[in-house]
Amino acid sequence: MKTRKKGTALLSAAIIVGTLTGATAQAQDKEFTIAVSIPAATHGWTGGVVFHAQEAEKQIEAAYPNIDVIVSTASSATAQVSSLEDLSATNTLDALVILPFTSEELTGPVEQVASNGTFITVVDRGLSDPSIQDLYVAGDNIAVGANTAEWLVEKLGGEGEIVVLRGIPTVIDDERIQGFRDVIDQSGIEILDIQYANWNQDEAFTLMQDYLAKYPNIDAVWANDDDMLLGVIEAVDQAGRTDIKYALGGNGMKQVIEMVMAGDERTPISTPYPPSMIASAIYMTAAQFAGQAPMRGSFKLDAPLITPENAEQFYFPGSPF
Amino acid sequence: MSSAEIATVQESEGFKIRWSDLAPFIALAVIVLLGALINSNFMSSNNMMNVITRSAFIAIIGVGATFVIATGGLDLSIGSMLAFVVGIMIMAMNAMAPSLGPWAIPAGALVALVVGSLCGLMNGLITTVGRIEPFIVTLGTMGIFRALITFMTDGGSLSIDRSLRAAYRPVYFGDFLGVPYPVIITVIVALLGAFILYRTKYGRHVTAVGSNSDVARFSGVHVGRVRTMAFVIQGFCVAVAAICYVPRLGAATPTTGQLWELQVITAAVIGGTLLRGGKAHIWGTVAGALILEVIANVMVLSDMVSEYLVAAVQGAIIIIAMLAHRFTNAR
């Protein structure tokens, strides 16, 4: 019953579209399939990626009835390779939007798909061979670290003692730390300690407790991800320490953006590394086909500071992240 | 007559083993001493309180794991089960908050205890009725629980209602006469565990099944029931840990409790419980949990180890502690 209803709705939608676009029906007749391959929601950020990919799928399919978007999630690099094989075996792909689990393992399989003439959009993590991709969309991890550091240097007047919590040993983590450290080293600010907390709230809480026990004075703390920042703040509040002027994160997690919007004094800013970049990538890929707007090249999303003034633009209340 | 005989045998045995039973406590003392030498802040009451309170989760779950391991079983699902129970508890509390107000907290805790015990029962029944290795069963349920919590949180986080947060916070951060509540709860759980294990018929059956299940079966012990019950105790302990866990950060995420199963099993084994079953040491497990937490704390407080090598040093210390244990055992 339900499917029949849906079928009728689809049919009538097609008729309406058909009559409305009667003149351009010729161009619209061709159907396009865009496959989107992304990591499954295993932590906050990838949860956001899945959310935004599904939102973009709905919006694009509503806006362009001749474009079919297929979103497929994978829980590991091997699973992603298999899902790529399945996708290209069961569909004729006009475009593939992929956020690769790892660069090395996915390069070959994506090249395979590209050899069939599929338009390739790579998101976030680059492939080992950039010549495979037609479009590259990514955030700027170095800027995430550097912009936070610049803000901190200015606010602390170029001196002070800070501690840093880093994530899981990966390129993303290395780049953020590198961008941050490069700027801090130019100033009089001393980094007392840097340790891994694996982008995990619990581990960040524990590590911050230990930092607080170890150092009697800490002017600011930077957790290179907002998930960890929530654990850090809990530890600082519980210890009742007032020497910490700033507790900063990064990534633009919903809860932290809410704090920024509310004008929190300890967390007045964040820096985006938005999971919604997957939506940017899907839209740009769709434009290539629907709008005949050329979209080849590299597109690097900036990491501007999120402040109370612009926080609204980075806030997605419906997103899990 | 025979029961009196058994009692005296047990008592003399208990006395004989006592020296090697002290090994985990000696190891703990050595590591604490080391910590005190490395950084003067280590012995500060604040730091000590933090570390002891933090170890409560692993210690409480460890009490349950001691039962499972003593029967010759193994539960790999505990970390994921904790995350799942935490998720269910938060959802239950949030749903009840509008009608029950602060009473939603004890009601949610009750839900957690029931759900946790049922999760344990499921592990136990599949293992015993289905006659499948507990390693495989719990590896499967580990994936199931982890996927469920990821599903429940949409990959993001699931937070407790703001109105309950303030009322619930003290369960982790508060104290009674200076002793934090999680520590009190740990002591109660461990006392109960020790009583059941050392003073009841069921407890004797646990070690009997673990040391030789065939002999136990021939002696009229219902092996399947004993093993299943151990898994239920494990599930119950996981729920108790969840009750202490939620007030700390007030949220569940897909990474909640990740790899805790390994920490819990390590704590039990460091504490003198035999991985092949037959020998259980509740207070040793508690000491093991403290050892793990203190090592991690000392690593951060010392400046000697590069951040990249922390895990290697932790691993080495655990192995050295086990070797020392073996050495004292052999004597």
Side-chain angles (χ1 to χ4, degrees):
Chain A
M1 188 62 196
K2 205 176 165 195
T3 29
R4 262 180 68 187
K5 235 186 190 165
K6 202 175 163 194
T8 339
L10 267 177
L11 195 67
S12 55
I15 292 167
I16 294 168
V17 169
T19 34
L20 283 180
T21 54
T24 53
Q26 212 70 352
Q28 297 269 309
D29 261 357
K30 181 151 169 38
E31 297 272 334
F32 297 103
T33 306
I34 300 177
V36 180
S37 172
I38 49 179
T42 49
H43 62 269
W45 196 80
T46 45
V49 169
V50 174
F51 170 82
H52 286 287
Q54 284 166 348
E55 290 290 294
E57 175 186 7
K58 276 182 235 155
Q59 290 158 4
I60 284 175
E61 284 178 349
Y64 309 111
N66 63 326
I67 292 185
D68 183 23
V69 179
I70 308 168
V71 175
S72 152
T73 62
S75 55
S76 68
T78 2
Q80 197 173 24
V81 173
S82 314
S83 92
L84 275 191
E85 288 169 356
D86 296 346
L87 280 172
S88 48
T90 50
N91 301 283
T92 319
L93 299 183
D94 296 287
L96 169 70
V97 179
I98 182 165
L99 201 165
F101 240 98
T102 54
S103 307
E104 293 75 20
E105 287 162 280
L106 267 305
T107 299
V110 174
E111 194 172 17
Q112 198 68 39
V113 177
S115 66
N116 302 328
T118 304
F119 185 91
I120 304 289
T121 303
V122 177
V123 187
D124 187 32
R125 236 155 290 175
L127 297 173
S128 304
D129 179 4
S131 70
I132 300 169
Q133 73 216 13
D134 295 288
L135 173 64
Y136 179 58
V137 178
D140 190 344
N141 275 309
I142 293 189
V144 167
N147 290 349
T148 311
E150 273 160 18
W151 185 89
L152 203 54
V153 168
E154 195 200 311
K155 287 290 168 177
L156 290 178
E159 54 191 34
E161 293 166 322
I162 62 173
V163 290
V164 176
L165 294 87
R166 59 191 302 181
I168 295 171
T170 50
V171 179
I172 299 168
D173 181 68
D174 286 343
E175 286 184 347
R176 283 187 195 175
I177 295 292
Q178 183 206 331
F180 187 81
R181 221 192 297 234
D182 283 351
V183 174
I184 293 291
D185 286 349
Q186 306 289 318
S187 73
I189 294 176
E190 188 195 350
I191 299 179
L192 295 171
D193 222 322
I194 296 188
Q195 300 277 347
Y196 287 105
N198 299 321
W199 287 323
N200 180 307
Q201 262 183 42
D202 284 306
E203 287 179 47
F205 174 85
T206 306
L207 179 55
M208 193 61 207
Q209 278 199 331
D210 291 348
Y211 279 162
L212 291 169
K214 188 176 179 184
Y215 303 106
N217 180 59
I218 299 171
D219 291 306
V221 46
W222 181 52
N224 78 6
D225 167 87
D226 282 340
D227 239 333
M228 294 198 292
L229 179 64
L230 296 182
V232 165
I233 287 173
E234 204 62 57
V236 174
D237 282 346
Q238 183 241 339
R241 287 272 291 262
T242 50
D243 50 322
I244 292 134
K245 297 183 195 76
Y246 301 109
L248 305 178
N251 256 7
M253 186 186 194
K254 192 168 66 178
Q255 286 89 327
V256 174
I257 301 223
E258 279 167 9
M259 290 165 70
V260 172
M261 286 201 289
D264 191 289
E265 279 187 13
R266 201 170 38 189
T267 311
I269 59 144
S270 186
T271 32
Y273 191 79
S276 54
M277 68 175 70
I278 191 73
S280 311
I282 298 172
Y283 265 94
M284 289 165 86
T285 309
Q288 169 80 22
F289 295 96
Q292 284 101 34
M295 281 294 172
R296 286 164 207 270
S298 292
F299 181 72
K300 203 162 210 183
L301 284 146
D302 227 343
L305 290 181
I306 303 175
T307 59
E309 288 74 41
N310 67 4
E312 205 71 51
Q313 298 165 27
F314 299 92
Y315 185 57
F316 304 101
S319 166
F321 184 64
Chain B
M1 188 64 205
S2 71
S3 73
E5 243 174 48
I6 289 172
T8 41
V9 167
Q10 278 218 331
E11 232 157 67
S12 64
E13 251 188 4
F15 190 74
K16 219 166 68 190
I17 305 168
R18 200 146 274 181
W19 262 111
S20 68
D21 279 357
L22 280 179
F25 302 100
I26 295 168
L28 179 62
V30 169
I31 292 166
V32 167
L33 202 70
L34 220 72
L37 291 176
I38 283 172
N39 192 317
S40 56
N41 291 327
F42 175 77
M43 291 303 279
S44 74
S45 67
N46 258 344
N47 187 54
M48 277 291 145
M49 274 309 161
N50 285 346
V51 173
I52 296 171
T53 314
R54 267 168 6 204
S55 64
F57 307 132
I58 299 297
I60 292 171
I61 304 175
V63 170
T66 307
F67 277 88
V68 173
I69 295 173
T71 63
L74 195 65
D75 192 342
L76 295 177
S77 71
I78 36 190
S80 307
M81 192 197 289
L82 175 101
F84 174 67
V85 173
V86 164
I88 292 281
M89 190 162 90
I90 291 178
M91 283 166 87
M93 284 183 181
N94 287 356
M96 291 187 283
S99 53
L100 293 181
W103 286 104
I105 295 168
L110 203 67
V111 170
L113 292 175
V114 172
V115 171
S117 306
L118 286 177
C119 289
L121 182 67
M122 184 174 87
N123 275 337
L125 287 180
I126 300 174
T127 307
T128 53
V129 178
R131 291 175 190 277
I132 307 173
E133 280 291 314
F135 184 92
I136 296 300
V137 172
T138 56
L139 194 67
T141 50
M142 170 169 102
I144 294 172
F145 291 137
R146 183 60 66 195
L148 287 176
I149 183 65
T150 311
F151 175 73
M152 281 151 55
T153 58
D154 281 333
S157 74
L158 190 64
S159 304
I160 190 165
D161 202 274
R162 248 165 248 247
S163 61
L164 299 176
R165 185 85 172 90
Y168 197 5
R169 241 181 90 95
V171 175
Y172 183 80
F173 292 110
D175 57 69
F176 179 73
L177 301 178
V179 187
Y181 288 123
V183 177
I184 298 175
I185 295 172
T186 308
V187 171
I188 293 173
V189 169
L191 276 173
L192 276 175
F195 177 79
I196 295 173
L197 195 59
Y198 304 130
R199 294 274 175 267
T200 66
K201 201 167 95 185
Y202 173 73
R204 284 193 291 279
H205 286 174
V206 164
T207 36
V209 166
S211 38
N212 194 327
S213 60
D214 288 334
V215 171
R217 187 174 293 118
F218 293 143
S219 330
V221 177
H222 197 304
V223 175
R225 202 173 291 163
V226 170
R227 288 211 162 122
T228 308
M229 197 56 209
F231 276 104
V232 174
I233 292 173
Q234 171 73 89
F236 185 85
C237 289
V238 166
V240 173
I243 292 169
C244 301
Y245 173 87
V246 173
R248 186 164 89 170
L249 296 173
T253 71
T255 55
T256 295
Q258 208 167 33
L259 296 181
W260 280 19
E261 55 276 357
L262 291 186
Q263 287 194 47
V264 168
I265 294 167
T266 311
V269 175
I270 290 181
T273 298
L274 281 181
L275 203 45
R276 62 166 181 270
K279 186 164 173 261
H281 193 358
I282 295 272
W283 295 104
T285 303
V286 176
L290 278 167
I291 288 173
L292 292 180
E293 204 60 63
V294 171
I295 292 175
N297 179 249
V298 171
M299 283 296 114
V300 179
L301 292 188
S302 77
D303 286 317
M304 295 182 297
V305 185
S306 147
E307 78 217 67
Y308 303 109
L309 288 175
V310 167
V313 177
Q314 282 175 326
I317 292 176
I318 291 168
I319 292 174
I320 292 168
M322 286 310 294
L323 285 174
H325 191 185
R326 180 53 37 82
F327 179 69
T328 42
N329 244 355
R331 276 150 61 95

